[in-house]
Amino acid sequence: MLRKLLLVGLVLLGGVAWAEDGFVSLFNGKDLTGWVGRTDLYEVLPGGVLGFVAGERNYGNLMYHEKFGDFVFRFEFKLVPNGNNGLGIRATAIDKDAAYEGMELQILDDSGDKKQHLKPYQYHGSIYGVVAAKKGFLKPVGEWNCQEVEAVGSRIKVTLNGTVILDTDVSGITETPDGKAHPGLHNAKGYLGFLGHTMPVQFRNIRIKKL
């Protein structure tokens, strides 16, 4: 029984049990080794937490140096009121807008009083400007959330705190709801990382499994 448990490697994160077999940590909890881009806008906080440095003019991408194609990505995040960040995937470049040069999966406080005017495709878990995610599955602001992103070919699935909030195939999308060009939407491979937007969003337990 013990051997079986070790092989499965279950961990309990925010009430969700996930098998960790085959996953590799991307953040060592001590420094930004392996990460490139706006490293000046992120800091390592106590407890192995990665935090964005708040500031009205602070915008920038923190990308892992390696490109990924098909993968399962798992992480935890904690929001502040009106908190806003993003997860960029399959981005063609480190310093360009991943929402268009790849895909941006929104990380956002849906309950924020300054966020109630947004379009459906701008709320948490959505592919920004392209596909809206289901709302109502974030934990209260200040608590840790667990998220999994699975990207296999053109299928993108987002699971938040144990509930699938987005499951879509982008292969047939030629026109987007926001009416803008998203040349990176169909990228097979690219950079992955966090897209800071002024607010002190925090992350931990950042890990990936290549498929």
Side-chain angles (χ1 to χ4, degrees), residues 27-33 39 42-53:
F27 175 54
N28 63 21
K30 300 177 181 179
D31 56 41
L32 292 175
T33 297
T39 56
Y42 286 81
E43 58 185 350
V44 180
L45 303 173
V49 173
L50 177 65
F52 185 75
V53 179

Side-chain angles (χ1 to χ4, degrees), residues 132-174:
K134 297 177 183 177
K135 292 177 64 177
F137 299 96
L138 282 166
K139 292 188 177 181
V141 169
E143 295 186 17
W144 286 101
N145 294 270
C146 300
Q147 184 155 308
E148 174 182 282
V149 175
E150 181 177 324
V152 180
S154 57
R155 184 185 176 206
I156 308 297
K157 182 168 74 170
V158 178
T159 303
L160 174 65
N161 297 320
T163 297
V164 175
I165 61 170
L166 180 89
D167 192 351
T168 189
D169 189 329
V170 300
S171 62
I173 297 177
T174 56

Side-chain angles (χ1 to χ4, degrees), residues 21-84:
D21 184 38
F23 282 81
V24 175
S25 177
L26 298 186
F27 175 54
N28 63 21
K30 300 177 181 179
D31 56 41
L32 292 175
T33 297
W35 295 85
V36 293
R38 293 301 304 271
T39 56
D40 59 313
L41 295 182
Y42 286 81
E43 58 185 350
V44 180
L45 303 173
V49 173
L50 177 65
F52 185 75
V53 179
E56 291 184 2
R57 298 183 179 180
N58 287 2
Y59 291 87
N61 302 341
L62 182 73
M63 298 294 200
Y64 197 69
H65 73 278
E66 181 181 351
K67 290 184 177 182
F68 298 99
D70 292 351
F71 59 83
V72 179
F73 182 70
R74 291 174 177 168
F75 66 104
E76 293 177 86
F77 66 93
K78 183 166 62 173
L79 296 165
V80 295
N82 295 300
N84 188 9

Side-chain angles (χ1 to χ4, degrees), residues 94-191:
I94 292 167
D95 58 349
K96 292 185 178 180
D97 194 337
Y100 305 99
E101 300 300 325
M103 283 178 270
E104 177 178 358
L105 300 174
Q106 281 286 72
I107 298 174
L108 183 122
D109 170 26
D110 289 351
S111 66
D113 62 308
K114 297 179 181 179
K115 305 298 182 184
Q116 300 311 304
H117 65 288
L118 300 180
K119 302 291 186 181
Y121 53 72
Q122 292 178 303
Y123 285 105
H124 182 84
S126 300
I127 301 177
Y128 185 87
V130 181
V131 182
K134 297 177 183 177
K135 292 177 64 177
F137 299 96
L138 282 166
K139 292 188 177 181
V141 169
E143 295 186 17
W144 286 101
N145 294 270
C146 300
Q147 184 155 308
E148 174 182 282
V149 175
E150 181 177 324
V152 180
S154 57
R155 184 185 176 206
I156 308 297
K157 182 168 74 170
V158 178
T159 303
L160 174 65
N161 297 320
T163 297
V164 175
I165 61 170
L166 180 89
D167 192 351
T168 189
D169 189 329
V170 300
S171 62
I173 297 177
T174 56
E175 296 183 7
T176 57
D178 67 356
K180 298 181 180 180
H182 289 256
L185 181 63
H186 305 295
N187 289 350
K189 191 175 185 179
Y191 292 106

Side-chain angles (χ1 to χ4, degrees), residues 8-28:
V8 174
L10 289 176
V11 295
L12 187 63
L13 297 174
V16 181
W18 278 335
E20 290 296 297
D21 184 38
F23 282 81
V24 175
S25 177
L26 298 186
F27 175 54
N28 63 21

